[in-house]
Structures are given as C-alpha cells and as structure tokens.
Amino acid sequence: MPKVSICVPVYNNVKEVKRLLDSIRKQTYTDYEVNITDDSDGTEIEELVSGLSDERIRYVHNERKLGHIFNWNEAIAQARGEYVKIMFSDDWFTYPESLAKLVKLLDENPEAGLAFSNSMQVSEKESYKRKVSEDFIPRLREDWRNLFLGNEIGAPSDTIYRNNGTMFDEKSNWASDMVLYLRLLSQNPRFVYTDMPLVSIGMHEEQYTHSFSDRDDRIFNDYLYMYETYHLKENERCREFFLREYIIKFGRGRKLAKSCGISGWDFYHAKLRYFWHDILPSLCRAVLRKLGLCRGTKEKETKENGDGKREKEKSS
C-alpha cells in the first residue's frame, strides 16, 4: 500500500488539474497514490489522465454528479494510504520537496494526527504568502476548540493527516474545512505546523466559498452546528466570539443565546455595543454623505485570508 493517498476531487477544470498533476509528478517523494474523483460533464480530464500512463493515478468518473462536499469525500473514501493528503484541483505543490516535507512532519511526530503548512495565495494578478497570526499556534495548542475563533490552518490542501476514516461533514457548507479540522483535533489535539509555503492555492471567483454572501444563513448554521457539536459553550472565548460575531450580527434572538449558555446581561450588552460601534456610525456616515457634508473615503487595501493574516510577496 502507498504511504500517502493524494485525494483530488475535480470538476470541469482540466487546465488546473494538469497543473496539479504536473506538480505531483515532480515530487521527490514518490510513495503515493493519486485518487481522482471526477464530477465533470465531459471526458477531458479522463483523457488527460489516461494519456499520462501512470499506474499510481486511480481515476473514477462519478456515474452521477455528487456535488462539492460529497465528491470531496468520495476521493477520500478511495484512500488506501497511511496518510491522507487532500489536494483541491485548483491548487498545487509549490516545490518538488513539498510532499516530502509534509510527510516528514508526521513521520517525525508520531503523536500528532494532523500537520499543516503555510501557503502561497496565487491569482492571475498577484501572489503572496499567507501568514498565520503570532498567537494562533500557541492558542491552538492551549485548546483545540480555539480554532473556532478563526481558521488560520488554511485550505484543506494545506493539510495532511493520518488516515483514520475522517472525512468532511456532509452537513456543513461554508465552514466545511473548519468542521473537518475540529473533527480531527477533537480526536487528537496534537498537531505539527511549518511556516514554509509548501502548497500554492489558486484563487478565483468561481471558488465554492465565494458563492456565499456575508449574511448567508448557511454560514450562521455552520457556526451554530460547530458550537453545539463540539460543546464550545464550555470555552469562554468561543462563547463570547459566537455571541459577538454571529448571534448579534446575524440578528438572532435572546432565546437562542440562552440555549447557547449566554446570559441575558451578556446578550443585551453585546447588542448595545454592536449598535453603538457598528450600526450608529454607519447611519451617521450615510446621513452626512446624503447631506453632502462627507465624502466617501477609499479604505486602505489589506490582504486577509478569512481570519488569518497574510504577508504579501512579489511573484517570482
């Protein structure tokens, strides 16, 4: 059996799949299999794979379209290796040594169930290194539930984990990656991290998470699901964060807050703070602009990856 199962769910993007497969075949570490599960309409990707004549690549064209998360899990279900390495098809390995370094993280830390790296974020216009905040790793080591405060692990392609049958939770939507990591860390809270950008993440507007609006109820439902499933009300930081960033901002009521272990005082205090610091200033600016007393100012552009900070770099 191969040591590593590289799991690649694909859908109608033969150009990106070729880039990924090229990066895999350049890896100095070779004890792997590649499991491709294809939700595509045509046969372009199948023709690409058959033309490579590489027995390490196992290809399956789904008889019916499974959809995002279900196809992701179908690729993982094919894994026979000791380690699972998810690679979304629009991502690729940054260096020929990337897979070797990821495998080494788990080999040299047998107590850890999960390893992850930094990544390069790459679009048609720019490329920059994603960088976790200084307190993220210590916070996550202190209590794995603190991941709820912000997913700075990154995209699933940034990770590698021991194959114990863990898959994406098919009840999740926008936060499916965070739910996967919480599943893994709840089973084994020990992890390994490197700040090397071993994986490159292809960024484009067609990505799954870009199909959600800022106030999409599915986002709130994912956070509520994580909060309840992993008993996060027992963690004070998680409780305060969920109240401030989701219950209040998504307009949920006192009854839900109470079921989440939040007191009436904390609920109404957070609601007042949100009105005073967010709603009222916005209303004032809108009125002043309408009266012609204030011009809209262009905010300084910053780069952030969800809750994780990024360090901008020039493309090579």
Side-chain angles (χ1 to χ4, degrees):
M1 292 298 175
K3 181 69 174 285
V4 183
S5 292
I6 304 175
C7 303
V8 185
V10 303
Y11 176 68
N12 287 346
N13 57 337
V14 65
K15 181 179 178 181
E16 288 78 11
V17 173
K18 183 181 185 304
R19 178 178 61 188
L20 168 58
L21 292 178
D22 286 345
S23 80
I24 292 174
R25 300 178 78 209
K26 291 176 182 176
Q27 293 304 298
T28 58
Y29 187 90
T30 59
D31 189 7
Y32 63 77
E33 65 176 359
V34 182
N35 299 318
I36 299 176
T37 53
D38 190 359
D39 243 5
S40 300
D41 301 314
T43 60
E44 284 186 296
I45 294 175
E46 183 175 6
E47 292 168 0
L48 168 66
V49 173
S50 62
L52 296 176
S53 300
D54 191 333
E55 62 182 12
R56 294 172 298 181
I57 302 178
R58 303 166 67 209
Y59 173 88
V60 175
H61 193 286
N62 301 326
E63 293 183 2
R64 60 181 180 84
K65 285 186 181 180
L66 301 179
H68 286 91
I69 294 176
F70 299 95
N71 192 35
W72 303 349
N73 279 345
E74 185 64 24
I76 298 173
Q78 306 293 329
R80 300 175 299 172
E82 180 182 348
Y83 299 158
V84 170
K85 179 71 193 83
I86 300 167
M87 287 298 291
F88 283 171
S89 54
D90 43 8
D91 306 330
W92 65 97
F93 289 110
T94 307
Y95 314 112
E97 303 81 19
S98 290
L99 184 57
K101 291 182 181 297
L102 286 164
V103 170
K104 187 176 180 181
L105 290 175
L106 290 181
D107 281 350
E108 294 186 347
N109 297 274
E111 77 287 351
L114 169 69
F116 60 95
S117 72
N118 273 346
S119 57
M120 294 299 298
Q121 311 296 119
V122 184
S123 69
E124 292 183 355
K125 297 181 179 179
E126 59 183 347
S127 172
Y128 49 87
K129 180 181 177 182
R130 180 182 67 87
K131 186 178 181 181
V132 302
S133 57
E134 291 183 3
D135 66 335
F136 175 69
I137 299 301
R139 188 174 71 228
L140 193 59
R141 293 198 192 283
E142 175 190 339
D143 188 337
W144 59 271
R145 294 174 298 182
N146 286 329
L147 178 67
F148 187 71
L149 307 178
N151 173 24
E152 297 189 43
I153 289 178
S157 296
D158 292 332
T159 68
I160 186 171
Y161 63 89
R162 299 187 191 278
N163 188 1
N164 60 1
T166 300
M167 298 186 183
F168 289 95
D169 191 320
E170 293 173 352
K171 295 179 182 178
S172 63
N173 285 284
W174 183 84
S176 54
D177 51 357
M178 191 186 299
V179 178
L180 173 67
Y181 307 152
L182 286 172
R183 271 187 167 185
L184 290 167
L185 292 169
S186 68
Q187 298 163 8
N188 179 359
R190 292 174 289 278
F191 65 88
V192 197
Y193 161 73
T194 175
D195 65 356
M196 293 186 64
L198 299 179
V199 175
S200 293
I201 306 296
M203 301 185 300
H204 52 82
E205 292 302 320
E206 288 75 31
Q207 287 173 315
Y208 179 59
T209 52
H210 290 175
S211 65
F212 294 78
S213 65
D214 291 341
R215 288 294 181 265
D216 194 312
D217 281 344
R218 290 173 294 176
I219 297 177
F220 178 86
N221 292 337
D222 270 8
Y223 274 86
L224 178 61
Y225 178 67
M226 289 185 283
Y227 189 85
E228 294 177 338
T229 300
Y230 298 102
H231 310 289
L232 301 183
K233 69 179 180 182
E234 299 170 5
N235 179 302
E236 183 178 357
R237 287 182 178 177
C238 294
R239 193 169 61 248
E240 293 176 352
F241 175 80
F242 186 54
L243 169 62
R244 181 180 69 251
E245 299 297 330
Y246 290 92
I247 292 179
I248 298 299
K249 290 186 178 180
F250 277 79
R252 298 312 195 260
R254 170 74 185 101
K255 184 177 180 180
L256 175 64
K258 184 177 180 180
S259 70
C260 293
I262 296 165
S263 69
W265 164 258
D266 288 338
F267 173 76
Y268 290 112
H269 184 251
K271 199 167 186 177
L272 180 61
R273 283 181 58 85
Y274 179 62
F275 175 79
W276 186 259
H277 291 285
D278 294 86
I279 302 299
L280 187 58
S282 296
L283 289 173
C284 291
R285 285 194 296 269
V287 170
L288 290 173
R289 281 197 296 270
K290 192 171 183 179
L291 294 173
L293 301 176
C294 176
R295 295 182 179 179
T297 57
K298 186 177 181 181
E299 295 183 358
K300 183 179 179 182
E301 183 182 358
T302 59
K303 286 293 175 186
E304 295 183 357
N305 179 22
D307 302 293
K309 295 181 180 178
R310 290 168 168 176
E311 181 179 285
K312 198 167 183 180
E313 293 184 348
K314 294 182 179 179
S315 304
S316 58

